[in-house]
Amino acid sequence: MLLFTDLLEKSGLAAGQVRLLRHQTKAPNGRTPYLLWRDDRPSFEEYQRVQAIGNRAGLAAPFWASFVAPPTGGTLFAGIYTARRVGKVDASWIDPLHLVPGMNLTKDELDCYETARASELEPFIGRLWIEWGAGARSWVQRPDRQNKPIVELTRAFREDGFPGYTYFIANISDVQGLPATWISALRAARGIYLLTSAKTREQYVGSATGDAGFFGRWQNYAQDGHGGNIGLKSSEPSDYQVSILEVSGSSATHEEIVAVEQLWKRKLQSRAMGLNRN
């Protein structure tokens, strides 16, 4: 089994001089480090270079091996960075992930690092996947103590293929950041979907009838949390899980889709035991 430490050593980096960073935070606005890395690399690096003082001891190493967590799961290599702490962050700094000043921390609680992407292991960026292990909450680890198996190496950066409408499951906050091929598939289909909340143990049956399909409808929930639905407005805010119950034919009318929606409401009793109000 090839281990990540093997690659570090072959590139001339001592494992004890490297820290592994797995960026996985999801901001309330749905942005994640993975999306920053995929779509706006400078913003990802700006986010990475400012860290809470409480992480200072764990980050004390001249090199960081950065990884990101896609919404579909896994741990993807994002590059080796040199890192040197240079002081406190400027008071005007805006966190590019949360889009607010300083991650809701004061400047005295934030360290600023001077970072630069190194050439070591550069050909593996976006191609190498490791098994992070059970300690996903421990986002900073040492490769000389927690060696990571390499589980996949692809020819080029790629995202998981669309699993199909039947097997599709995601959180509303992840919808905007799905791979482009997934978004295209969800835009192309209309039909009936189910929202469920692990937080409140409630469910809601809805229909997507517009030209933008499922994706267009779900964007409304991502923006305001309820999409204009009375039942969802009255419920405690939640990051709903969304899945597809039925895909309608391409020639189905608005009225026909709504009629099938009503059938699913009766099947799942989502009026008596859920959030549907009509």
Side-chain angles (χ1 to χ4, degrees):
M1 178 183 294
L2 185 62
L3 302 173
F4 187 70
T5 297
D6 298 332
L7 286 185
L8 290 176
E9 293 176 349
K10 288 178 180 178
S11 70
L13 294 174
Q17 296 297 301
V18 180
R19 297 294 180 268
L20 308 177
L21 281 62
R22 185 177 188 267
H23 299 289
Q24 57 187 334
T25 302
K26 182 192 293 183
N29 57 25
R31 293 162 69 91
T32 65
Y34 170 77
L35 295 182
L36 292 183
W37 174 83
R38 188 190 69 181
D39 302 333
D40 187 354
R41 204 65 56 86
S43 290
F44 167 75
E45 294 176 351
E46 180 66 18
Y47 163 76
Q48 179 178 245
R49 77 179 187 91
V50 176
Q51 298 292 337
I53 287 178
N55 295 318
R56 181 183 295 176
L59 294 171
F63 295 96
W64 293 348
S66 296
F67 296 84
V68 288
T72 51
T75 303
L76 179 63
F77 180 58
I80 299 290
Y81 288 83
T82 60
R84 182 175 67 90
R85 186 169 60 86
V86 293
K88 302 291 179 59
V89 73
D90 186 87
S92 62
W93 183 76
I94 301 295
D95 175 8
L97 183 66
H98 296 81
L99 300 179
V100 296
M103 300 185 295
N104 296 321
L105 300 175
T106 69
K107 65 176 182 177
D108 292 330
E109 299 174 294
L110 293 171
D111 280 333
C112 182
Y113 292 80
E114 181 179 83
T115 64
R117 198 171 75 195
S119 60
E120 286 84 356
L121 304 186
E122 187 169 3
F124 296 96
I125 294 174
R127 300 175 50 222
L128 184 145
W129 299 77
I130 66 169
E131 176 59 53
W132 189 260
R137 296 187 66 181
S138 299
W139 69 278
V140 179
Q141 297 188 18
R142 296 183 55 145
D144 54 339
R145 297 178 183 175
Q146 294 106 349
N147 210 342
K148 306 297 183 183
I150 295 172
V151 296
E152 187 176 5
L153 181 63
T154 61
R155 289 181 178 272
F157 170 65
R158 63 171 175 77
E159 298 184 287
D160 290 345
F162 184 63
Y165 299 110
T166 299
Y167 295 96
F168 175 84
I169 300 174
N171 281 5
I172 285 295
S173 64
D174 291 331
V175 167
Q176 189 66 43
L178 290 173
T181 53
W182 294 41
I183 292 176
S184 295
L186 294 169
R187 282 185 179 277
R190 301 176 300 155
I192 317 305
Y193 59 86
L194 178 68
L195 299 179
T196 56
S197 171
K199 183 178 181 181
T200 65
R201 306 293 181 181
E202 295 172 307
Q203 63 181 9
Y204 176 88
V205 173
S207 61
T209 61
D211 293 338
F214 288 112
F215 181 76
R217 185 68 186 102
W218 297 342
Q219 277 189 303
N220 295 331
Y221 297 118
Q223 292 167 2
D224 60 22
H226 53 72
N229 294 301
I230 296 173
L232 298 181
K233 285 182 178 180
S234 66
S235 177
E236 183 179 352
S238 177
D239 185 7
Y240 291 97
Q241 176 182 284
V242 63
S243 58
I244 295 171
L245 295 174
E246 183 173 335
V247 175
S248 301
S250 58
S251 62
T253 65
H254 172 91
E255 291 74 18
E256 289 170 336
I257 296 175
V258 171
V260 177
E261 176 191 9
Q262 297 303 317
L263 176 61
W264 275 106
K265 290 176 182 177
R266 293 197 297 273
K267 286 183 176 182
L268 298 179
Q269 300 183 61
S270 61
R271 296 186 184 91
M273 297 185 290
L275 294 171
N276 288 109
R277 299 291 180 263
N278 58 17

